[in-house]
Amino acid sequence: MLDLHRLRLLRELKHRGTLAAVAEALAYSPSSISQQLSVLEKEAGVPLLEPVGRRVRLTAQAEILVAHTEAVLERLERAEADLAASLRDVTGRGITGVLRVAAFQTAALALVPDALSALREAHPRLRVEITQREPESALPALLARDFDLVITEEYPGDPGPRPAGLEYAELGQDELTLALPSPASQGAGLREAAGAAWVMEPEGTASRRWAMRLCRAAGFEPDVRFESTDLLLHLRLAERGHAAALLPGLVWAGRPPAVPVVRLREQDRVRRLFAASRRGGGSHPAVRAFRDALAGGFAERS
């Protein structure tokens, strides 16, 4: 019979890409990981890895085993969730344990503190660990079991890929606006900001793709002089008159905008926020409690 522990190592290699990355994540040595996978090859009776330059990749047979391993782990996630729910029902006590959450900057700024306050009241024995991480890297880390829940986003016209093995619950919608670099430009629109310097997130991000598409649809190529994933820097540059910026409503963290803003067209103005968890893990009491606290805070803010 195939060993589940070794199958999980093969799955880790699929998600993390290299033996060194698997070893670092699991606190093993690369040679130990390699030995365990060699044993798995003997158990399976077929080659599972093939060299590609200085790295290795999974064979077609290894991919089959990983797919079955994902199904087994999903059932185990559901088992853990059901067990935790049954213990809570029996004891009547609050949720305990550790919940690992990844959130991008504006969600961490505007939503996470209120959610933590709500959970501290209702479940004081639940330890919540927060890491600020952009969705592009947080979602693969969620699949690799580095996190239990990830707050992610979708921009208008750019839903992005949804990795197999994850489930999504919508938290709410966040309005996107154009922040202008000076009070004198108040009342202007996107086209009138064509001659301004711009600040945007780096190329390859969902926000950057959306912003570039928006500007091009308005008939101009933006002069992007500043790049950063830090939206507070975007805001500061707009406040000081250095750049135009497309900012989400959460960046204000409940305060009135401190810079002139212009509403965008209805089809362009809303990003959607989601809580992502591994398939089978979304019903875990800790995941559900944090997700509900986020959604409740979002609803109050809206």
Side-chain angles (χ1 to χ4, degrees):
M1 181 177 292
L2 298 173
D3 181 83
L4 181 57
H5 171 68
R6 298 187 186 104
L7 288 170
R8 291 183 73 163
L9 294 180
L10 186 65
R11 174 192 180 273
E12 291 289 329
L13 182 58
K14 162 78 172 178
H15 288 293
R16 299 186 188 274
T18 66
L19 292 171
V22 175
E24 181 179 0
L26 302 182
Y28 291 133
S29 68
S31 61
S32 175
I33 301 292
S34 182
Q35 289 171 4
Q36 291 294 310
L37 293 177
S38 294
V39 173
L40 182 61
E41 281 191 326
K42 293 178 182 177
E43 291 176 345
V46 293
L48 300 177
L49 304 176
E50 54 189 11
V52 179
R54 302 178 67 178
R55 303 178 65 172
V56 295
R57 69 182 175 197
L58 276 61
T59 64
Q61 291 70 37
E63 295 282 1
I64 291 171
L65 288 180
V66 168
H68 284 283
T69 303
E70 298 280 13
V72 171
L73 293 178
E74 180 183 335
R75 290 300 301 268
L76 291 176
E77 289 268 9
R78 295 186 187 280
E80 290 178 7
D82 291 347
L83 182 61
S86 72
L87 290 174
R88 185 184 176 199
D89 291 341
V90 169
T91 62
R93 295 183 298 181
I95 300 167
T96 62
V98 178
L99 181 70
R100 302 161 302 163
V101 177
F104 57 88
Q105 185 188 36
T106 49
L109 176 71
L111 299 179
V112 166
D114 289 343
L116 289 174
S117 297
L119 286 182
R120 183 174 58 193
E121 285 275 328
H123 308 290
R125 299 173 62 198
L126 176 64
R127 174 186 173 93
V128 182
E129 299 175 353
I130 306 293
T131 300
Q132 185 176 314
R133 184 81 67 87
E134 293 302 308
E136 287 84 359
S137 62
L139 291 174
L142 175 63
L143 280 170
R145 307 178 70 85
D146 292 340
F147 301 111
D148 304 304
L149 182 146
V150 166
I151 304 175
T152 185
E153 60 188 346
E154 287 186 357
Y155 277 79
D158 190 73
R162 290 194 174 187
L166 298 184
E167 55 190 31
Y168 291 74
E170 186 164 356
L171 298 173
Q173 298 184 347
D174 188 27
E175 183 171 356
L176 300 153
T177 56
L178 168 63
L180 298 166
S182 70
S185 56
Q186 191 164 8
L190 189 64
R191 190 183 299 273
E192 287 73 22
W198 284 78
V199 57
M200 292 186 181
E201 293 196 45
E203 292 186 6
T205 60
S207 171
R208 179 63 170 267
R209 290 193 299 270
W210 166 77
M212 293 298 293
R213 187 167 57 249
L214 203 65
C215 292
R216 287 167 179 168
F220 69 94
E221 190 74 12
D223 176 12
V224 182
R225 299 187 195 177
F226 313 103
E227 286 189 348
S228 175
T229 58
D230 185 348
L231 292 187
L232 296 180
L233 174 59
H234 291 212
L235 176 57
R236 180 58 61 87
L237 289 171
E239 287 175 336
R240 295 296 179 88
H242 294 300
L246 290 160
L247 295 173
L250 288 182
V251 77
W252 312 113
R255 296 183 295 273
V259 65
V261 295
V262 175
R263 298 191 80 188
L264 303 173
R265 297 183 307 170
E266 185 174 356
Q267 65 267 34
D268 298 322
R269 72 169 61 137
V270 171
R271 67 170 177 171
R272 301 164 68 201
L273 270 62
F274 299 87
S277 54
R278 285 183 299 279
R279 202 171 280 165
S283 60
H284 192 287
V287 172
R288 192 169 61 241
F290 193 78
R291 187 178 62 220
D292 291 347
L294 288 169
F298 208 149
E300 289 181 11
R301 189 174 298 279
S302 299

